[in-house]
Amino acid sequence: MPKYEHVMIARQDLSNTQAEGLIEHFGAVLSDNGGALVDHEYWGVKTMAYKINKNRKGHYAFLRSDAPAPAVQEMERLMRLHDDVMRVLTIKVDDHAELPSVQMQKRDERPERRERR
């Protein structure tokens, strides 16, 4: 089954529990359509580089899924129709990384960067 990674930005005036409820809701949409939500991370409220719908901040969430393409398309369609979701990015990947995402790692746990030229 194809593997996907999704990043979702929700409105800043939601509570943390409401933002995490969105993750559970869209995970249920995937499972109803024959897919599975493998893992998810709630990154918290972060400041964006530019305003989206008059919002300067947003709740960020990262989801990993194993789902057929129609299930992912249905989830994206419902995300775009939902009033609380501002942006969605979906990427098809070959394999899911086992470690937590870079956003969740502490700076001293990250691998060293290559030297700048």
Side-chain angles (χ1 to χ4, degrees):
M1 199 171 314
K3 298 176 187 203
Y4 296 93
E5 292 181 351
H6 317 274
V7 177
M8 172 182 72
I9 305 174
R11 291 186 308 129
Q12 67 184 357
D13 53 345
L14 297 176
S15 67
N16 292 350
T17 55
Q18 288 174 322
E20 290 177 359
L22 284 175
I23 296 170
E24 299 301 322
H25 170 70
F26 292 120
V29 169
L30 278 177
S31 62
D32 290 345
N33 290 306
L37 186 63
V38 175
D39 190 20
H40 69 276
E41 294 176 355
Y42 173 67
W43 290 346
V45 178
K46 298 199 175 286
T47 305
M48 296 182 278
Y50 56 90
K51 289 183 181 181
I52 300 174
N53 298 338
K54 299 181 183 176
N55 290 307
R56 228 351 147 184
K57 296 182 178 188
H59 291 272
Y60 281 71
F62 178 67
L63 301 102
R64 293 181 178 124
S65 66
D66 291 341
V72 172
Q73 289 171 351
E74 178 65 15
M75 184 187 73
E76 283 185 333
R77 185 184 75 81
L78 292 175
M79 281 182 168
R80 294 189 197 291
L81 291 174
H82 203 284
D83 290 336
D84 293 334
V85 178
M86 294 189 298
R87 288 283 191 276
V88 179
L89 175 69
T90 300
I91 299 173
K92 185 175 180 181
V93 294
D94 294 330
D95 198 19
H96 293 301
E98 292 297 322
L99 297 174
S101 64
V102 176
Q103 287 285 344
M104 296 300 287
Q105 292 176 3
K106 294 181 182 172
R107 191 172 293 273
D108 55 345
E109 293 175 359
R110 295 182 191 164
E112 293 296 319
R113 295 165 68 180
R114 65 180 176 84
E115 192 171 318
R116 291 187 179 183
R117 295 179 184 181

